[in-house]
Amino acid sequence: MAFTTPWTSSVSPLIRTGHSHRLPLPPSKPFRCLARVSSAALSEAADLERRKHDLLRAVQDTRRGLTTTADQRSSIEESLVNVERYGAGTGVDLGTLDGTWRLNYTSASDVLVLLEASERLPFFQVGQIFQKFECRDRTDGGIVRNVVRWSVPTLLEEQDGATLLVTAKFYVVSKRNIYLQFEEIAIENINISEELQTLIAPAILPRSFLSLQILQFLKTFKAQTPVRSSERRSVGGLYYLSYLDRDMLLGRAVGGRGVFIFTRAQPLRR
């Protein structure tokens, strides 16, 4: 808060004591004004944290959006808007965006179909889903990686048996909008289960060169393919970053294709 007019009083700002030095009177009015501003800022910050907590509480029983009812969707949308109004109109700080974010909730059909398949198919499990932005020290864009941990029970390690990786470049096109240009889909980080390892190379027998080669191949296996449309063009879309701070990221796929609620996560192991 700027002070354009100096504080004045009919009493001199210096009073004489019985000694040879003078004591200044405290400038109490500016301090009181600053205290009011600080109190208002603290109140707003507390209100924001409460609304963020309400949003996370609204989505916690939805299994990341898979089992959301109509009433829950309405409540989530209301809580989402209550958080989004904070910081509206300001640009996205790519330094804050940089890092790993864990998916808590989505209404996007292309993600829900994976969660649905995990629910229906006994041989397919979906673990944690992340979005990893690489844009530190950038102002125009960067790289975003959509990371899906998945597994096949008994063949791969539970929940973390393999990684589906969808990589895209992104470009800042306005204060809050980024354009995603998808580049590649890959399957990597295969972690086979102990049961499968034992089947390939039993612990009670000497491990042959061939069995060791098979194990090494599976562990280092990576399959990848470029993302192209039927016209051989790159696939892309607009993504609206509706809210961002140090521990929460909210996004909306432009065109009504779904909302996303993320919280900050630890860096991923590669």
Side-chain angles (χ1 to χ4, degrees), residues 155 192-203 205-219:
L155 297 181
I192 62 177
S193 66
E194 291 184 4
E195 293 91 337
L196 182 57
Q197 290 188 53
T198 302
L199 182 64
I200 295 172
L205 297 176
R207 294 192 172 189
S208 68
F209 175 76
L210 178 59
S211 63
L212 290 175
Q213 287 293 100
I214 294 173
L215 289 174
Q216 183 64 22
F217 170 77
L218 290 173
K219 290 179 180 178

Side-chain angles (χ1 to χ4, degrees), residues 103-124:
L103 180 70
N104 292 80
Y105 172 86
T106 186
S107 60
S109 59
D110 55 346
V111 179
L112 292 179
V113 70
L114 291 175
L115 300 179
E116 230 173 273
S118 178
E119 183 76 12
R120 294 182 178 181
L121 302 177
F123 54 84
F124 181 63

Side-chain angles (χ1 to χ4, degrees), residues 64-135:
R64 292 182 288 187
L66 180 62
T67 59
T68 313
T69 65
D71 287 343
Q72 284 176 314
R73 281 193 292 272
S74 177
S75 176
I76 290 167
E77 179 64 23
E78 182 180 349
S79 297
L80 195 66
V81 171
N82 284 339
V83 175
E84 287 174 331
R85 69 184 182 87
Y86 287 88
T90 61
V92 172
D93 180 359
L94 295 189
T96 303
L97 182 63
D98 182 84
T100 304
W101 302 87
R102 177 184 290 104
L103 180 70
N104 292 80
Y105 172 86
T106 186
S107 60
S109 59
D110 55 346
V111 179
L112 292 179
V113 70
L114 291 175
L115 300 179
E116 230 173 273
S118 178
E119 183 76 12
R120 294 182 178 181
L121 302 177
F123 54 84
F124 181 63
Q125 292 179 343
V126 174
Q128 296 291 344
I129 299 175
F130 302 93
Q131 204 161 61
K132 184 176 184 292
F133 285 89
E134 300 171 9
C135 50

Side-chain angles (χ1 to χ4, degrees), residues 3 5 25 34 52 55 112 118 135 156 160 186 188 197 200 214 218 221 225 228 233 266:
F3 295 95
T5 305
L25 290 175
L34 287 172
K52 287 164 58 179
L55 176 58
L112 292 179
S118 178
C135 50
L156 303 178
D160 200 18
E188 58 181 40
Q197 290 188 53
I200 295 172
I214 294 173
L218 290 173
F221 174 80
T225 183
R228 294 286 186 271
R233 297 176 182 173
Q266 293 296 318

Side-chain angles (χ1 to χ4, degrees), residues 6 8 42 48 62 81 107 152 163 183 196 232 239 248 265 269:
T8 59
L42 288 174
L48 171 58
T62 67
V81 171
S107 60
V152 178
T163 298
E183 300 279 309
L196 182 57
R232 307 294 296 171
Y239 189 33
M248 178 173 278
R269 293 181 291 107

